[in-house]
Amino acid sequence: MKAGLIGLGAMGLPMARNLVKAGHELIVYNRTRSRAEALAGESIQVAASPPDACRAGIVLTMLADDPALESIVFAPGHILDSLPPGGIHVSMGTISVELARRLAQAHSARSQSFVAAPVFGRPDAAEAKRLLVVAAGPSEAVERVRPLLEAVSRRLFVIGPDAAAASAVKLGGNFLIAAMLEALGEAFALVRKHGVDAAQFLEIANSLFQSPVYEGYGRIIVDRRFRPPGFPMRLGLKDARLILAAADAALVAMPLAGLVHDRLLAGGG
């Protein structure tokens, strides 16, 4: 299958490699062109512009936030104008529920399809093809891009036709991870102050929860491996704001999300 891919950051770059390993052909675009040119080869062409990445009729975007995605989609001559009727845009980054809904409407008005397929996982998980993908959108479009989504993931969840629902799931999942990090940080601080071995506490915590998320982040805390960061604090703050905005729109009280937001804000996110 041939597709465009826009965004070759810490997540997009390993995803591109896994797509090629699975036998797909890519037309890649990145704002810093050198990152795209480093991938150029038999199965990867470098696009001169975002519209150029759309010529396959399917384009994946892996961008950091709403403004970055909006500028690529809605700018004159870009994705919305360049995808043909029947074309599919798959957004794999973390975006707001509101933007996912707006993108679905805008693409539908052009006889195109929008699939929200955000991923769970850090760059090392992307490299190892261990991402979880949550996809939502028109069923025919989701099935058409399924081989691409499965090529970058260890598991794909398809949750229905409403693209905004996938964004809600992604934000809900990110909230759980952020809340877990807050709890882990407080718990490790407590037991260390009382002379408990951090590694032993992590073993006990993993016996309680049996979660790869607890194990992964807990090990980072035990080993104090905080540099380089796997996820910049400014993006964590962006996610916290999206979570609170989604909660506000749905009249859902999320006091713990407010605490996490304030922690990130105080940390200079």
Side-chain angles (χ1 to χ4, degrees), residues 147-214:
L148 299 171
L149 303 181
E150 290 180 340
V152 301
S153 67
R154 65 182 172 89
R155 188 167 182 186
L156 168 64
F157 295 88
V158 178
I159 62 170
D162 181 12
S167 287
V169 169
K170 172 60 172 165
L171 294 177
N174 279 13
F175 164 67
L176 289 176
I177 293 170
M180 177 274 300
L181 284 171
E182 173 70 22
L184 270 182
E186 292 184 19
F188 272 104
L190 173 66
V191 300
R192 275 176 164 151
K193 289 291 186 179
H194 285 278
V196 176
D197 178 72
Q200 187 173 37
F201 177 70
L202 176 60
E203 182 180 0
I204 294 167
N206 283 332
S207 298
L208 286 170
F209 297 104
Q210 297 180 337
S211 164
V213 179
Y214 270 85

Side-chain angles (χ1 to χ4, degrees), residues 2 78-79 83 90 93 102-103 105 108 117 122 125 129 161 173 218 220 231 255:
K2 192 170 187 176
H78 280 48
I79 290 179
L83 272 179
V90 183
R102 186 154 61 97
L103 285 167
Q105 293 169 349
S108 178
R122 292 158 53 89
K129 195 192 161 188
I220 289 171
F231 192 73

Side-chain angles (χ1 to χ4, degrees), residues 22-267:
H24 301 292
E25 296 180 47
L26 295 180
I27 308 168
V28 298
Y29 174 81
N30 194 67
R31 185 174 56 183
T32 303
R33 186 178 174 86
S34 60
R35 290 183 70 85
E37 289 175 340
L39 283 176
E42 184 176 341
S43 299
I44 298 182
Q45 302 173 45
V46 176
S49 63
D52 191 28
C54 296
R55 54 190 160 92
I58 297 174
V59 64
L60 315 178
T61 53
M62 189 61 186
L63 300 169
D65 53 28
D66 281 23
L69 184 56
E70 287 172 322
S71 68
I72 288 291
V73 175
F74 294 111
H78 280 48
I79 290 179
L80 201 60
D81 291 336
S82 300
L83 272 179
I88 304 173
H89 170 204
V90 183
S91 171
M92 305 190 75
T94 304
I95 62 173
S96 68
V97 172
E98 189 276 331
L99 178 57
R101 188 170 291 119
R102 186 154 61 97
L103 285 167
Q105 293 169 349
H107 281 294
S108 178
R110 300 290 186 98
S111 298
Q112 304 160 357
S113 296
F114 176 69
V115 175
V119 304
F120 287 103
R122 292 158 53 89
D124 55 346
E127 194 75 49
K129 195 192 161 188
R130 298 290 296 167
L131 298 172
L132 297 179
V133 179
V134 178
S139 59
E140 290 184 5
V142 172
E143 290 309 308
R144 187 174 163 195
V145 301
R146 178 184 285 271
L148 299 171
L149 303 181
E150 290 180 340
V152 301
S153 67
R154 65 182 172 89
R155 188 167 182 186
L156 168 64
F157 295 88
V158 178
I159 62 170
D162 181 12
S167 287
V169 169
K170 172 60 172 165
L171 294 177
N174 279 13
F175 164 67
L176 289 176
I177 293 170
M180 177 274 300
L181 284 171
E182 173 70 22
L184 270 182
E186 292 184 19
F188 272 104
L190 173 66
V191 300
R192 275 176 164 151
K193 289 291 186 179
H194 285 278
V196 176
D197 178 72
Q200 187 173 37
F201 177 70
L202 176 60
E203 182 180 0
I204 294 167
N206 283 332
S207 298
L208 286 170
F209 297 104
Q210 297 180 337
S211 164
V213 179
Y214 270 85
E215 167 62 28
Y217 284 104
R219 181 56 56 189
I220 289 171
I221 294 173
V222 169
D223 297 340
R224 300 182 186 273
R225 289 186 285 108
F226 305 130
R227 293 288 185 274
F231 192 73
M233 189 173 288
R234 62 180 176 79
L235 293 182
L237 180 59
K238 177 267 295 186
D239 286 357
R241 286 171 171 158
L242 294 183
I243 291 162
L244 289 173
D248 185 62
L251 300 179
V252 175
M254 296 186 71
L256 185 52
L259 170 63
V260 170
H261 169 272
D262 291 349
R263 287 286 201 197
L264 291 166
L265 188 63

